[in-house]
Amino acid sequence: MMLIQRVPTCPNIGIPGRKCGTIILTAEELNCCRDAVLMQFCANKLDKKDFFGKSDPFLVFYRSNEDGSFTICHRTEVVKNTLNPVWQAFKISVRALCNGDYDRTIKVEVYDWDRDGSHDFIGEFTTSYRELSRGQSQFNVYEVVNPKKKGKKKKYINSGTVTLLSFLVETEVSFLDYIKGGTQINFTVAIDFTASNGNPAQPTSLHYMNPYQLNAYGMALKAVGEIVQDYDSDKMFPALGFGAKLPPDGRISHEFALNGNPQNPYCDGIEGVMEAYYRSLKSVQLYGPTNFAPVINHVARYASSVKDGSQYFVLLIVTDGVISDMAQTKESIVNASKLPMSIIIVGVGPAEFDAMVELDGDDVRVSSRGKYAERDIVQFVPFRDYIDRSGNHILSMARLAKDVLAEIPEQFLSYMRARGIKPSPAPPPYTPPTHVLQTQI
């Protein structure tokens, strides 16, 4: 039995002296069903509603609630100027469709689309998940009935028919299912050592070596690192720097190991990364330009060698946001979007981060030379949004953690889905051996 909880009716306060209606909030406990269903429908001989054409039909699906009301759960696209439309297949979770109750009524209304929003009602029918699960058959051809027409016209039969063309059930898996099944998450840290960050000997520098408190990079590294390290199984992080002149010859490097060992750039936990970072500050010269592409390509080389779903790579770039190789970085991101890989960019300092927002690709997918990224793999987080005015204290670690990791699970799942990789079964829980007590008589 599902739990229905209705809060008291609340007045909607708007213009003083006027009644602005009421808001009623109804909540229902969600079923734990994790299935999703892919369905496709077509219709035949629908009523003609347009004076100069036929009809522009679309379907609206409603889930019934336990109190007898209905809630919209899906609306199809409009198919223009036809009485025999074929709608695109769509996926919907079983929870959204019927909350896991296979016999719960599903109502479907058929409308003719009008530009002004006053869509014309053609008719309706009801079904259930159990009926739909029979798939394409005689049982899933539905008469579309307009109750008003039926009540007025004795010879009225229907306003057309809607037919289920396909019905495919998929079990939706989660990020955690892959982790439980043994997929390893590998984090790499890359730190911006370019001169735009300021002289580390000066208090105004983002790399200022203050003996009493962490600088901007140190705060971001520690805060974000402590969040991500819980998802890395061995807590050993490759830590790279870019944009500095290295001793002893002063060569410029955009991909150097913070611990000074290019053959083994791993640091033990975030504390190890912090130690290597501060040691590097004392030995390298901040220089430039700010090139992201080399460190992205570094991680991509490793990601390209493991495409079976057993490992996933996450690159954490901490930067002041002044980027020099935008075109090359976009190309690297487009190439990396085909690999088991994500990128988190944490921006420190007061600069405008327009370039970082562009790389994030939430609004417009990143492209290079006419090719778009296969999927969104970049998450940008401006660190200043999470610290107080003094710049010394983080306002909310919980909010920072949420935003840093916000897109990683879906980016991870998008790669696995595109490659058809299923999670491995989780190993059985450990059962300690039972000790049999031996007694002598």
Side-chain angles (χ1 to χ4, degrees):
M1 179 101 175
M2 295 298 146
L3 175 68
I4 288 286
Q5 187 177 25
R6 184 183 291 275
V7 300
T9 301
C10 301
N12 189 14
I13 301 171
I15 302 170
R18 283 193 182 183
K19 291 183 178 180
C20 297
T22 56
I23 296 174
I24 300 173
L25 178 65
T26 303
E28 180 175 344
E29 185 179 347
L30 284 175
N31 189 288
C32 62
C33 177
R34 292 170 58 188
D35 288 346
V37 59
L38 184 69
M39 295 187 286
Q40 185 176 22
F41 290 85
C42 70
N44 190 40
K45 296 182 180 178
L46 294 177
D47 283 354
K48 178 179 178 295
K49 289 289 185 177
D50 293 341
F51 187 77
F52 292 108
K54 296 178 180 179
S55 285
D56 305 319
F58 65 92
L59 303 177
V60 181
F61 289 75
Y62 296 82
R63 178 186 70 246
S64 62
N65 303 314
E66 290 201 338
D67 62 356
S69 63
F70 286 89
T71 301
I72 293 177
C73 59
H74 182 75
R75 173 177 157 163
T76 69
E77 80 283 5
V78 176
V79 181
K80 291 292 190 74
N81 196 33
T82 179
L83 303 181
N84 304 295
V86 178
W87 290 280
Q88 294 177 11
F90 65 91
K91 182 189 276 191
I92 185 171
S93 73
V94 175
R95 286 200 305 188
L97 190 63
C98 63
N99 202 10
D101 181 352
Y102 292 177
D103 296 308
R104 184 179 292 207
T105 299
I106 298 167
K107 182 171 73 171
V108 183
E109 294 179 342
V110 187
Y111 286 91
D112 166 47
W113 178 84
D114 283 334
R115 188 181 299 276
D116 62 3
S118 60
H119 310 309
D120 299 318
F121 179 68
I122 295 176
E124 64 185 18
F125 63 91
T126 60
T127 182
S128 68
Y129 179 90
R130 195 176 300 281
E131 288 179 32
L132 292 170
S133 66
R134 295 180 179 186
Q136 187 179 23
S137 68
Q138 66 194 52
F139 302 105
N140 278 314
V141 178
Y142 299 95
E143 289 192 356
V144 177
V145 175
N146 186 322
K148 286 186 178 179
K149 279 191 173 183
K150 189 176 181 179
K152 291 179 180 178
K153 299 180 179 179
K154 291 182 180 180
K155 293 184 178 180
Y156 175 81
I157 300 174
N158 59 49
S159 295
T161 58
V162 169
T163 302
L164 175 67
L165 293 177
S166 62
F167 185 92
L168 179 65
V169 181
E170 301 175 359
T171 298
E172 293 190 323
V173 293
S174 69
F175 174 68
L176 194 57
D177 290 326
Y178 288 90
I179 302 302
K180 287 179 178 178
T183 297
Q184 302 289 313
I185 306 294
N186 301 301
F187 279 93
T188 298
V189 178
I191 300 174
D192 182 344
F193 280 85
T194 56
S196 58
N197 288 283
N199 186 343
Q202 300 295 324
T204 54
S205 172
L206 298 172
H207 282 303
Y208 178 52
M209 291 188 285
N210 188 330
Y212 303 108
Q213 64 185 42
L214 296 174
N215 61 27
Y217 275 81
M219 281 186 66
L221 269 175
K222 186 173 176 62
V224 177
E226 287 178 350
I227 293 165
V228 301
Q229 72 175 355
D230 289 336
Y231 294 85
D232 192 298
S233 55
D234 62 5
K235 308 289 190 290
M236 296 295 291
F237 301 130
L240 308 173
F242 57 92
K245 281 187 174 181
L246 306 186
D249 55 0
R251 67 180 178 87
I252 300 170
S253 176
H254 301 290
E255 183 190 345
F256 63 91
L258 293 189
N259 65 3
N261 186 351
Q263 280 72 43
N264 184 15
Y266 290 86
C267 298
D268 188 1
I270 287 303
E271 289 304 320
V273 173
M274 298 284 288
E275 291 173 14
Y277 160 64
Y278 280 110
R279 279 200 305 271
S280 292
L281 272 182
K282 295 174 183 177
S283 62
V284 306
Q285 179 188 346
L286 272 58
Y287 204 70
T290 308
N291 293 348
F292 284 6
V295 291
I296 295 173
N297 295 338
H298 174 98
V299 176
R301 286 194 294 272
Y302 289 93
S304 64
S305 65
V306 189
K307 298 181 183 178
D308 60 357
S310 62
Q311 297 187 56
Y312 193 85
F313 296 80
V314 179
L315 170 61
L316 171 62
I317 299 176
V318 188
T319 179
D320 70 348
V322 183
I323 184 170
S324 308
D325 66 337
M326 192 66 166
Q328 293 89 338
T329 293
K330 284 184 175 181
E331 184 174 7
S332 296
I333 290 172
V334 170
N335 293 335
S337 69
K338 304 180 182 72
L339 304 174
M341 176 177 169
S342 289
I343 302 167
I344 301 170
I345 302 175
V346 176
V348 296
E352 292 298 322
F353 291 114
D354 293 348
M356 303 300 103
V357 173
E358 185 179 347
L359 294 178
D360 193 308
D362 283 345
D363 298 324
V364 179
R365 188 68 60 87
V366 175
S367 64
S368 173
R369 301 183 185 184
K371 290 184 179 179
Y372 283 86
E374 185 177 298
R375 56 198 182 90
D376 175 20
I377 65 167
V378 180
Q379 165 75 341
F380 170 66
V381 177
F383 190 66
R384 65 183 175 216
D385 290 356
Y386 304 87
I387 53 178
D388 63 9
R389 290 184 178 180
S390 71
N392 298 325
H393 299 96
I394 296 170
L395 296 171
S396 172
M397 277 297 291
R399 189 166 69 92
L400 177 61
K402 176 178 176 290
D403 292 351
V404 165
L405 299 174
E407 296 182 14
I408 296 296
E410 184 51 41
Q411 290 174 2
F412 175 99
L413 289 171
S414 70
Y415 175 82
M416 298 300 181
R417 282 195 294 258
R419 300 300 182 275
I421 300 171
K422 303 292 185 185
S424 300
Y430 172 73
T431 304
T434 54
H435 298 285
V436 180
L437 294 174
Q438 295 182 342
T439 58
Q440 290 183 342
I441 298 175

